[in-house]
Every structure is written in C-alpha cells, then in structure tokens.
Amino acid sequence: MAEKPIQVAMIGVGAISGIYLKNIGEVFPGIALIGVCDLVRERAEKAQREYGIPKLYETMHDAFADPEVDIVLNLTRPYEHFEVTKAALNAGKHVYSEKPLGATWEEGKALAALAEEKKLALGGAPDTFLGAGIQTCRRLIDSGMIGTPIGAAAFMIGHGPESWHPGPAFFYKRGGGPMMDMGPYYVTALINLLGGVKGITGSARAAFPQRTITSLPHRGTVVDVETPTYVTGILEFASGITGTLFTTFDVHYKGQARFEIYGSEGTLLVPDPNFFGGPIRLLRPEEGELREMPLLFDYKENSRGLGLADMARALQTGRAARADYHQTLHVLEILTAFERSSDEKRYLPLTTTYERGLPMKNNPIHGLLD
C-alpha cells in the first residue's frame, strides 16, 4: 500500500511559485499541496483555481495552525524568510524555504538553532544540485576522471534583473544582490562537488547607487541599491582546494560565464547550476580537447520542488534530507562572509562545517525518491 503523501502549505505565490505548483501536482507523488496563502489574495485564488488546491488560508498563521499541514513551503521574498520560517517552526511545522535561509548570517543561525530545539526538519533551495548536471559532475569527480581536485572557478556575470523580472526591486534590498540571489546555486554546487569551505577572503561593492526598472509593470521606477552588486572572493576549502567565485549585477555580458573544476589529471566544465541539466565537458591531457559527457542521472529538466520531495521522503524514512539546514546554513555563512570579509578587510575563518550528503540514486519511476 502506497504511503500517504506528505502534505504541504505554500506561503507566497509569487514569480517562483509557478514551477513549484506544476511540479508538485504533476511530478512528485510523495507530496501534496493542500493550501496556499499570499498577501495578495488574488494570487492565491488564481493558484487555487488553476491547480485545484483544497484550501486558501487568510493568513500564514492559519496555515501554521492547520493540523493537516506537515511542511510549510516558504516562497516569500528573501527579507521575509526569517519571520515566516520562525513562525512556522514555532508552530511545530517542518519548513522548506526558498533561498537563502535568511537575509543575514544571524537570521540563519537563529533558525537553525530553533529547528534543533524543536526537533523539526528545516531545509531549502536551491535543489538544482540534485539534478542530472551536478550529480553527474559529482560522479565524474568522485570516480577520478580529473584526478585529485586542486581548484575551482565560478562566475555569474550579468546586468541585473530589472530588465525582465516583474518585481525586481527586492533584488537590490537587504537579502538581495547577486551573491545572495545567484550565489546559492554556485556555492551549493561547489560544496556538493568539493566539500565544505574553511574560510573566505572577499571584496564587495555596489557600482551603481540606483537602478532604473525597465520591465513591466514598474517601468521607470528608480530603486536605491542597498546591497553589494559586485562581489568576488577566494574560497579555501577544508580539503585544501582553492576556489574563486565572482557574482555581479553590474556588468554587460552575453552567455554563461565559466564554471570549472580543475584536477591533477583534467578539467571539468560544469553546467550552469541555476539549471538541473545542461552540457558537461571534460578535458583530459591525453585527448587534448573537450569531450561532452552524457548525463548519468534523472531530473535534467526544471525540477524545482525536488528538494522538497526529498525532504518529504526523508521524513518518511528517517534518513537525512539532502538539502537540510546543515547545507543551507553553511551556504549562507559563505554567502555573507564575502561582504563581511570585505568590510573587515581580512580573511574570515568560517564557524560552520559541512559534510556532503548522499548522492542521488536513479529510480526507474520518475518523481519517486529513495
């Protein structure tokens, strides 16, 4: 007899919610979305109507009080993550949050401590590292295809979301910026490929004090920039590997910048970690040219919600979730350390440590997890 799906309440029905709504309903039978809530009621009503969701909550606290809810899915804006997750944990609910865990390092530490105190599961995005691209790269590295890893370089270069996002102002507020917004994809991929980070040296600034929105419906609105938008630094991994990470919303650039892992016997070109699949290319000295490698795992398409489904399965089996707070807290400390290192003009040793979680396993039934 099939196990009853883990029941989920979604808080926040903004731009990212669409792919969650689709995938929860169509891809992952182990989770069921039973209710939605948004400060803009029309958004929640539209989602309820289009996806046949049973409940519409007047407030998030109504969702937290619902005894049928197992996991709260926090899809609010980054600077709202802390209060929503804190309230859900205090109400006794497990929480899966969009990235980042908190808008500050202090918020993340407080949420992790609360989850431990309450003995509740806490985890979150990004879950792209569970997709075919990064999981295949992990297999290739672990099997020795590039020899011993010695270095890494990852770059996310662009000119910001104000030309295409419908509500881009929050990207330039507390908890926003390229490192906090896009950095989680790169850092999460890096630590899953190479292990935890020991310390950071960073440099951070905002090249433009204001940004003008050119996308609809807020075209012409001027936004004050309150967060660094040009952030770069060096990561010292616990293993001794040295990595470089650069993120910016200040630079005109076309295409994806490089994401590379360097080894003693080869170089691996990693696909864009904002996506679940993508091309993987390997350079070995005896071949002398890049060779595209086949994807060895499932979930190469947009599978957001995969981490949530994995958390649900972990609750049923008692194993650790692959995207739990040990990972998201370590990622948050790394993300925020670049700016703190820049402000304090020094190398910053990290306080958290990280051990890679379980790699993915291939299940013949798409959407079902081990």
Side-chain angles (χ1 to χ4, degrees), residues 122-266:
L122 171 63
D127 53 4
T128 48
F129 77 98
L130 297 174
I134 302 302
Q135 289 294 310
T136 297
C137 287
R138 176 172 171 170
R139 172 75 65 82
L140 293 172
I141 293 169
D142 290 354
S143 65
M145 289 297 288
I146 62 170
T148 301
I150 57 177
F155 298 80
M156 194 296 297
I157 306 175
H159 206 267
E162 62 266 32
S163 65
W164 57 268
H165 195 282
F170 75 90
F171 287 100
Y172 298 101
K173 303 301 179 184
R174 186 176 71 91
M179 186 60 76
M180 294 292 282
D181 177 54
M182 294 301 295
Y185 298 105
Y186 290 82
V187 172
T188 301
L190 281 167
I191 65 173
N192 272 275
L193 296 176
L194 302 175
V197 173
K198 181 180 178 181
I200 297 287
T201 303
S203 180
R205 65 185 288 259
F208 306 98
Q210 293 182 320
R211 308 294 284 248
T212 300
I213 298 174
T214 58
S215 61
L216 293 173
H218 302 290
R219 180 180 292 169
T221 301
V222 177
V223 178
D224 290 330
V225 176
E226 301 172 4
T227 189
T229 51
Y230 194 105
V231 187
T232 186
I234 305 298
L235 304 91
E236 180 189 7
F237 287 83
S239 63
I241 295 168
T242 299
T244 301
L245 179 61
F246 170 42
T247 67
T248 183
F249 283 163
D250 296 341
V251 174
H252 296 285
Y253 197 86
K254 186 174 180 60
Q256 183 205 355
R258 68 184 188 274
F259 184 176
E260 300 168 349
I261 307 295
Y262 311 120
S264 60
E265 299 175 28

Side-chain angles (χ1 to χ4, degrees), residues 18 33 46 87 112 127 294 327 329 338:
L33 185 61
K46 183 173 183 289
D127 53 4
Q327 174 169 289
L329 183 64
F338 288 102

Side-chain angles (χ1 to χ4, degrees), residues 261-292:
I261 307 295
Y262 311 120
S264 60
E265 299 175 28
T267 295
L268 188 67
L269 275 61
V270 180
D272 187 338
N274 187 34
F275 300 99
F276 287 80
I280 299 169
R281 289 174 290 174
L282 174 69
L283 174 65
R284 295 273 304 187
E286 63 271 19
E287 296 180 347
E289 60 183 23
L290 290 167
R291 171 163 52 103
E292 187 159 335

Side-chain angles (χ1 to χ4, degrees), residues 5 40 51 55 74 118 155 181 277 300:
V40 181
Y51 291 91
K55 303 179 184 183
N74 183 357
K118 300 284 186 180
F155 298 80
D181 177 54
K300 61 181 181 293

Side-chain angles (χ1 to χ4, degrees), residues 5-13 16-36 47 51-54 71-75 96 98 127 299 302-310 312 366-368:
I6 296 292
Q7 303 198 99
V8 177
M10 177 185 289
I11 309 301
V13 193
I16 194 64
S17 66
I19 190 62
Y20 279 94
L21 289 163
K22 180 178 185 297
N23 287 343
I24 291 173
E26 298 178 6
V27 179
F28 302 114
I31 48 178
L33 185 61
I34 65 168
V36 291
Y51 291 91
I53 300 165
I71 299 176
V72 168
L73 174 59
N74 183 357
L75 301 186
Y96 185 92
E98 252 303 322
D127 53 4
Y299 306 108
N302 190 341
S303 301
R304 279 179 168 81
L306 179 56
L308 173 65
D310 181 78
H366 184 67
L368 293 182

